[in-house]
Amino acid sequence: MDACPFEKQHPSQLQKDALFFMQLAYNQALEAWKIDEVPIGAIVEKDGHILGMGYNQVERTRDATAHAEMIAITQAARALGDWRLVGCHLYVTKEPCPMCTGACILSRLDTVHYAVRDPKMGGLGGGLSIHDIAGLNHRLKIDIGVLEEECRTLLQTFFHLKR
Amino acid sequence: MDACPFEKQHPSQLQKDALFFMQLAYNQALEAWKIDEVPIGAIVEKDGHILGMGYNQVERTRDATAHAEMIAITQAARALGDWRLVGCHLYVTKEPCPMCTGACILSRLDTVHYAVRDPKMGGLGGGLSIHDIAGLNHRLKIDIGVLEEECRTLLQTFFHLKR
């Protein structure tokens, strides 16, 4: 296992915009790398407050459902005391897979911001467009590309060193 | 809240076939109804042994990810000590949604047996065919229709009484 060669980001608290929260998601991704997991991180935010954060820990928990987004969504639901994450925004360093896309729709998130597209397994436009299926009673908003280069380099470097 | 008018099934232990396990999934669905949740139940089985069982409890846990399948899959992973549910079969009373379909693929289940098709939100042929997307490194087998009538009546009656 190679030590993570990347440093945490330190965004200013003065401007809590999409970049700010994606930088925190990036920091979560570094936590995944530290335990030798694929470095993906996620944050759930509402009105400037962080309600959930998570990083991929499939291997550590030995649970295929322990993706960053699932952990952050479950945490946010606990914080709100409601499974409806109305007015909440998810920030995640890679496009959600079909499982996590489904969870985003079911939990009625307002917007999903993702940094890097996943043309193979992405569920929000990359491999599939699950958010576009007819008859959904909730429509997600999507925002793509915040902190894209850094998040892409993180993933590519991880897989490069793994080989 | 209307009391559940249906009775548990009592399949014979002598023939542990798909019908046997689906009847147990049906019994799990009744547990969901008892707490006023949409009655969907799931079982994970390997070599005739039950490794996980679950029923929908989104409202009780206040967590949109608490579907029957997710609970059964996580339980089975814990029982095996591995997120790879190789050789495992899922039995679920309704076609899995996109989230649960994603979890089935990620956990590398052998076969998903579902009773009732969901033409709106199903992820295994009903609304979408997530198991068919190109480039997946795991192929699920699908078996549809075991105990279909009973599972459909259960769901339809629940929603009818809710209205």
Side-chain angles (χ1 to χ4, degrees), chain B:
Chain B
M1 172 183 167
D2 290 279
C4 178
F6 298 97
E7 297 280 334
K8 283 203 176 191
Q9 305 214 357
H10 299 283
S12 163
Q13 297 276 341
L14 295 178
Q15 191 163 5
K16 293 192 174 177
D17 54 9
L19 179 59
F20 174 84
F21 292 108
M22 193 64 85
Q23 286 178 290
L24 299 185
Y26 178 92
N27 290 349
Q28 287 291 299
L30 297 185
E31 295 296 323
W33 187 321
K34 282 187 197 163
I35 58 168
D36 204 26
E37 301 265 2
V38 176
I40 299 171
I43 296 281
V44 174
E45 167 262 338
K46 181 176 182 174
D47 299 332
H49 300 287
I50 293 171
L51 301 182
M53 51 173 72
Y55 51 90
N56 178 38
Q57 37 193 302
V58 166
E59 299 294 342
R60 179 160 73 175
T61 61
R62 299 177 182 175
D63 182 347
T65 73
H67 282 189
E69 302 93 315
M70 302 299 282
I71 294 164
I73 286 171
T74 292
Q75 240 181 58
R78 204 162 294 159
L80 281 179
D82 195 336
W83 59 264
R84 299 164 195 85
L85 303 184
V86 177
C88 291
H89 298 252
L90 178 78
Y91 299 85
V92 58
T93 56
K94 191 195 73 71
E95 182 179 356
C97 75
M99 174 181 72
C100 295
T101 299
C104 291
I105 297 166
L106 290 170
S107 61
R108 302 192 187 165
L109 283 166
D110 184 284
T111 309
V112 175
H113 306 258
Y114 67 79
V116 181
R117 184 160 275 224
D118 181 349
K120 185 177 161 194
M121 276 294 285
L124 288 172
L128 281 170
S129 294
I130 297 174
H131 58 304
D132 273 345
I133 58 175
L136 284 186
N137 53 10
H138 178 69
R139 290 281 156 198
L140 284 179
K141 287 175 243 156
I142 316 285
D143 170 48
I144 309 172
V146 179
L147 205 66
E148 182 175 357
E149 199 175 314
E150 289 84 345
C151 294
R152 185 187 306 280
T153 301
L154 183 65
L155 278 164
Q156 284 179 341
T157 307
F158 179 83
F159 286 117
H160 180 75
L161 292 173
K162 273 280 177 198
R163 270 183 225 119

Side-chain angles (χ1 to χ4, degrees), chain A residues 139-158:
Chain A
R139 291 281 155 198
L140 285 178
K141 288 176 241 151
I142 316 285
D143 171 46
I144 308 172
V146 180
L147 205 68
E148 182 176 357
E149 199 176 314
E150 290 83 345
C151 293
R152 185 188 306 282
T153 301
L154 183 64
L155 278 165
Q156 285 180 338
T157 307
F158 180 82

